[in-house]
Every structure is written in C-alpha cells, then in structure tokens.
C-alpha cells in the first residue's frame, strides 16, 4: 500500500508543478487562466489518475503484489544460466525472439549483447493518430529489452534490463501499465523453460545411452551363455576320452579349463576388463583347442607388457579369436596359425587378431551377430575414440583390428609378453637382440609365415 500511495503522490506532485508552470505561461499570454484552463487542468489530472490506477490494477494482476520493485517502469533481472557462454547466449536470444510483438532485434555474439524493441499493446492499433489527441501523440509506443551475458565456467550470468524506449524523465510523468515487468518475467520464464528442456533432453539421452549399454551387455551375456555350454560340453567330452587314451594330456586340458573358467566367471558382473586378463583367458581357451586340434593349430602372441593394463570390454578379444578359429582355421584342411598382436602409439593402441585360414568366402555360416555386437559395444563404451576394422590377410586369412584409446601411460618397460609356446632360450635371445617385427595384417609374409 505504501508503494502505491508513494507512486500516486509522486505523479500528482510532478503534474501539479507542470500545471502550475503552464498556468503561469498561460497567464502571461492571455492575462488570466480562465475556465478553459481549469477544465484542461482537471481533465489532465483525471487522465493521469486513470493511468495510475490502471497501472496499479494491471501490476497487481501480473505480479500478485504491489511494491517498489513491481511498480517500477524499469525492470532489472540478474539470471544465472547453468550453461557455457555460447549455449547460454543462444538460449537468451531464443527467449527474446519469442516475445510477443518483438521487433528490431539486434544480436551481437561478439559482445554478448542482445537488444530488441517490444511494441506496447495498443487497443486502437492505428498508426494514424488524431491531431487533437495530444497524449496519444506523445505516448511511449515501445519498450526496450537489453540482455548482457557474462560467460563463466559452466555457469553464465545474464543481466536483463526492460525499460521504456525513452529517456529517464518520462518516469516522472507517466507509467508503463506493467508492460516492462511483464516482459522481464516473460524472458525469465522462457530462459528457465529452455534450460529445463535442455536438461531433460540431456537426462533422456543419458538414460537412453545407459539403457543401450545395458542392452549391449545383456546381448553379450546371452551370446556368451549360448556359446559357453557348447564349448564346455566339447571340452569335457574330449577330456573324458583322453583320460582313457592319454591321461597326461587330459590333465593338461582340465588344467587349462580351470584357468579359463577362473577368468571367465568375473566377466558376468563386470563389463570392462584389461588386456592382460583377456589374454590369459584367451590363451587358456587356445591351449584347450590345441589339445583337441593337435598340430592343426599354432599360435603366436606378441603383446607388450605395458599394454596388459589397457582397458577393453570383456570377452572382446575372445570373440575375435573364436571367429578366427571357427570360420578360418577349423574348416581349413591342415589348420593354420593364429596371431594376437598389440601395438602402442601416442594416444591409442591397436589389438589385432589374424589368421591364415580360409578368409572371406561364401561357405561361411556366420551370422555376423558377434561382430555387430562388438562394434556396438565399442561405440557405447568409447564413442568415436575407438574403431574396428576387418580386412583380408596376405596371402590368406583374415585380420581383425581394434583401435582403443590409451587409458594408462606406461610406467616401466618390463620384458615383453611371450607366448607359452616360445622356448625360454628363444625368449632370452629376443631380450638380448632386437627382434624382427611380427607379421602385421596386410604385410608380406616373412620366413616364419604370414598373419
């Protein structure tokens, strides 16, 4: 109430001073004020009081209260936007552009300022004003909106100013009927709404990404559950036969099976593993197959020790090895060799599984589900930082390469990881003298074979 009375008293006081000055000028010109000037004075005060009460009523309806802040014709807001500078600037600009009756928008991304004009509500909506309507001719027809952005790290500050498109002197004589308060509130609501929409979209994308990861893990577990019993049955059946014909080899097979199962069981609860753990499980798997396939299967492992801590999704290495065995070496008469090669680079590492089997042909019965699942898991886990490629090997076979980002910098350089089939003397010789580079996919074969 005090703010309303102060506003009424202030406007009446200013207008009384103006009318007194005009009365003195009138008397100087016409000798006396007379009845006509008295009628003009009362009409002017009536119009002023009507405008004031209209202003009070409209502000009360919009804001729900009457105080010095809501009754002011110049509104200032300080808004904190939880976005970086560029994103916050786009949100503020979009909010101002959506104001009703907005026009003459000036946007300056360089100075982080947005200026716009907002036309006031005109019941007549007529550009041709009567020559006798003095108040309409001098009325303020537009408001001004000025937004200045101060960028920050993760949070930006917006200074919003809504005022009449005129000098400060007009505040002493007229009111804006709450139009600038309405504009300030509208821009604030629009910014809040857009930030909320963006946060909801981000949360929905995060939930969808998490759901996709869970589905990928579930598909992996389903595939693992389908393949695992078949492998176990074949291994146990082979061990049963070997217990009667070759007990030492049966003992070796059971030992490798125990090692394989020990490394396989934790992967059901943890979708991520390390290259060292995957390599131990895969080697146990290959050793079992070597007992079953005999001389038809040879393997060569070249993995630097410092890459054993490299993180990768579990069962990914074994998926590539199983594909190489099933579609490349098992159908080939006489079998062949499988290579597991790892190479570190500045910001990434490559893991290659190559074979000299049958390669790409029309007789393969594979469905491609395993490789599609592998690509999807790489995308969900690393985004664009990882990739997968599969090409024909030279002269025969297939080479599949996974490119992974390096998560751990090498702390030291221990002896390289040596395949179990490499004799100890040969390993010592490799440490003493530089070894020839292992065969890489797509390269010409060396004297020892090709990958």
């Amino acid at each position: 109430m005090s703010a309303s009375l102060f506003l009424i008293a202030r406007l009446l006081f200013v207008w009384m001073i103006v009318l007194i000055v005009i009365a003195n000028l009138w008397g100087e010109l016409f000798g006396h004020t007379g009845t006509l000037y008295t009628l003009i004075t009362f009409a002017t005060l009536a119009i002023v009081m009507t405008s004031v009460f209209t202003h009070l009523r409209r502000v009360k309806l919009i804001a729900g209260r009457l105080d010095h802040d809501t009754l002011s014709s110049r509104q200032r807001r300080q808004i904190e936007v939880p976005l970086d500078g560029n994103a916050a600037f786009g949100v503020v600009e979009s909010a101002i552009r959506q104001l009703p009756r907005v026009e003459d928008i000036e946007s300056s991304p360089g100075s982080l300022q947005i200026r716009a004009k907002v036309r006031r509500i005109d019941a007549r909506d007529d550009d041709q004003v009567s020559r006798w309507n003095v108040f309409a001719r001098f009325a303020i027809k537009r408001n001004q909106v000025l937004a200045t952005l101060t960028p920050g790290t993760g949070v930006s500050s917006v200074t919003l100013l809504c005022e009449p498109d005129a000098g400060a002197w007009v505040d002493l004589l007229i009111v804006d009927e709450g139009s600038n308060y309405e504009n300030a509130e509208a821009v604030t609501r629009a910014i809040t709404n857009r930030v909320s929409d963006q946060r909801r979209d981000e949360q929905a994308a995060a939930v969808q990404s998490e759901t996709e990861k869970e589905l990928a893990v579930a598909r992996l577990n389903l595939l693992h559950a389908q393949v695992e019993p078949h492998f176990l049955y074949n291994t146990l059946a082979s061990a049963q036969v070997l217990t009667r014909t070759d007990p030492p080899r049966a003992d070796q097979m059971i030992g490798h099976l125990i090692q394989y199962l020990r490394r396989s069981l934790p992967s059901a609860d943890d979708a991520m593993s390390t290259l060292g753990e995957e390599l131990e499980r895969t080697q146990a798997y290959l050793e079992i197959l070597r007992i079953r396939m005999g001389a038809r299967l040879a393997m060569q492992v070249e993995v630097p020790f410092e890459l054993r801590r490299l993180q990768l999704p579990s069962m990914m290495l074994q998926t590539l090895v199983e594909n190489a065995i099933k579609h490349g070496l098992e159908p080939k008469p006489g079998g062949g060799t499988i290579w597991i090669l790892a190479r570190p680079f500045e910001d990434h590492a490559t893991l290659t599984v190559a074979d000299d089997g049958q390669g790409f042909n029309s007789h393969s019965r594979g469905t491609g589900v395993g490789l599609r699942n592998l690509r999807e898991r790489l995308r969900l886990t690393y985004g664009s930082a990882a990739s997968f490629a599969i090409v024909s090997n030279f002269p025969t076979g297939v080479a599949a390469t996974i490119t992974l980002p390096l998560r751990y910098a090498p702390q030291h350089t221990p002896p390289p990881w040596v395949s179990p089939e490499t004799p100890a003397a040969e390993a010592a010789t490799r440490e003493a003298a530089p070894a020839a580079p292992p065969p890489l996919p797509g390269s010409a074969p060396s004297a020892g074979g090709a990958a």
Side-chain angles (χ1 to χ4, degrees):
M1 180 63 72
S2 61
S4 303
L5 294 177
F6 177 78
L7 177 64
I8 296 172
R10 188 194 71 186
L11 289 175
L12 287 177
F13 176 75
V14 173
W15 275 103
M16 289 298 297
I17 293 177
V18 172
L19 291 174
I20 290 173
V21 172
I22 295 176
N24 291 331
L25 294 176
W26 186 288
E28 291 292 334
L29 294 175
F30 301 104
H32 59 87
T33 55
T35 306
L36 178 60
Y37 181 77
T38 303
L39 292 176
I40 293 176
T41 300
F42 280 109
T44 301
L45 292 177
I47 293 175
V48 170
M49 292 302 298
T50 301
S51 176
V52 171
F53 282 110
T54 303
H55 177 75
L56 294 175
R57 180 175 180 274
R58 195 157 190 274
V59 171
K60 177 68 174 178
L61 291 175
I62 297 173
R65 69 183 191 279
L66 296 176
D67 52 36
H68 293 288
D69 294 333
T70 58
L71 292 175
S72 176
S73 296
R74 299 178 187 272
Q75 296 289 326
R76 185 179 185 275
R77 298 286 189 275
Q78 197 72 29
I79 308 171
E80 300 296 326
V81 182
L83 298 172
D84 292 334
N86 293 334
F89 185 84
V91 168
V92 175
E93 182 182 14
S94 176
I96 293 178
R97 288 186 180 276
Q98 296 301 319
L99 282 174
R101 304 176 304 280
V102 67
E103 54 191 19
D104 298 340
I105 300 177
E106 300 176 5
S107 177
S108 177
S111 60
L112 298 178
Q113 280 191 335
I114 305 170
R115 190 185 302 270
K117 308 292 185 182
V118 181
R119 184 166 47 84
R120 289 188 179 181
I121 298 176
D122 187 359
R124 294 174 293 102
D125 197 16
D126 187 5
D127 294 334
Q128 300 297 327
V129 181
S130 172
R131 70 177 64 182
W132 305 107
N133 192 344
V134 179
F135 289 97
R137 283 188 173 274
F138 290 96
I140 308 300
K141 297 181 177 61
R142 298 195 303 181
N143 293 323
Q144 177 178 269
V145 177
L146 175 63
T148 304
L149 182 70
T150 303
T153 305
V155 178
S156 301
S157 178
V158 180
T159 302
L160 181 67
L161 182 62
C162 299
E163 58 184 354
D165 188 19
W169 62 270
V170 301
D171 296 346
L172 300 174
L173 299 173
I174 59 177
V175 290
D176 67 342
E177 297 183 358
S179 58
N180 283 293
Y181 180 86
E182 184 180 14
N183 291 337
E185 290 297 306
V187 173
T188 303
R189 287 194 304 270
I191 292 176
T192 303
N193 184 56
R194 279 165 174 75
V195 172
S196 299
D197 290 342
Q198 186 167 345
R199 287 290 181 261
R200 282 195 295 269
D201 293 342
E202 292 175 355
Q203 292 175 359
V207 171
Q208 183 178 3
S209 178
E210 186 66 26
T211 302
E212 290 177 351
K213 288 183 179 180
E214 293 176 356
L215 289 175
V217 173
R219 288 196 297 266
L220 174 69
N221 292 337
L222 178 60
L223 291 173
H224 192 191
Q226 293 174 348
V227 175
E228 190 82 0
H230 180 72
F231 170 72
L232 290 176
Y233 296 153
N234 289 341
T235 302
L236 292 176
S238 300
Q240 185 180 25
V241 173
L242 289 175
T243 55
R244 296 191 297 266
T245 60
D246 194 344
R249 292 181 63 196
D251 183 68
Q252 291 180 4
M253 177 174 285
I254 294 175
H256 292 310
L257 179 60
I258 293 174
Q259 179 72 8
Y260 173 81
L261 293 177
R262 181 183 294 115
R263 293 298 180 184
S264 298
L265 292 178
S267 65
D269 299 326
D270 189 2
M272 295 298 294
S273 181
T274 64
L275 180 55
E277 295 173 352
E278 294 299 301
L279 192 60
E280 291 180 7
R281 173 170 52 226
T282 302
Q283 286 188 308
Y285 170 80
L286 287 173
E287 290 294 339
I288 294 174
L289 292 182
R290 287 181 65 189
I291 296 176
R292 288 169 48 188
M293 297 177 62
R296 295 181 63 244
L297 176 61
M299 65 177 178
Q300 181 176 341
V301 179
E302 293 288 344
V303 177
F305 187 86
E306 61 267 21
L307 288 182
R308 294 188 64 191
R309 293 195 300 171
L310 178 68
Q311 284 194 346
L312 75 162
S314 62
M315 297 297 295
M316 189 160 287
L317 175 60
Q318 184 168 331
T319 299
L320 298 180
V321 171
E322 288 178 355
N323 279 345
I325 297 294
K326 180 178 180 181
H327 304 295
L329 299 181
E330 275 190 342
K332 180 183 177 181
T337 304
I338 185 169
W339 287 265
I340 301 177
L341 313 172
R343 293 290 182 268
F345 295 91
E346 291 184 359
D347 58 348
H348 68 278
T350 60
L351 177 62
T352 300
V353 175
D355 66 82
D356 57 358
Q358 287 190 336
F360 297 112
N361 57 72
S362 58
H363 302 290
S364 176
R365 294 177 296 175
T367 62
V369 175
L371 296 184
R372 285 199 302 269
N373 188 25
L374 185 146
R375 288 190 177 93
E376 184 69 7
R377 293 184 70 200
L378 283 177
R379 184 185 69 82
L380 295 176
T381 305
Y382 300 103
S384 59
S387 62
F388 172 71
I390 182 168
V391 296
S392 296
N393 198 18
F394 182 85
T396 61
V398 172
T401 300
I402 301 175
T403 302
L404 298 171
L406 285 175
R407 296 294 181 90
Y408 299 98
Q411 302 295 325
H412 50 277
T413 308
W417 180 272
V418 181
S419 172
E421 68 179 15
T422 305
E426 182 182 349
T429 304
R430 289 185 180 182
E431 295 179 8
L440 294 176
S443 62
S446 60

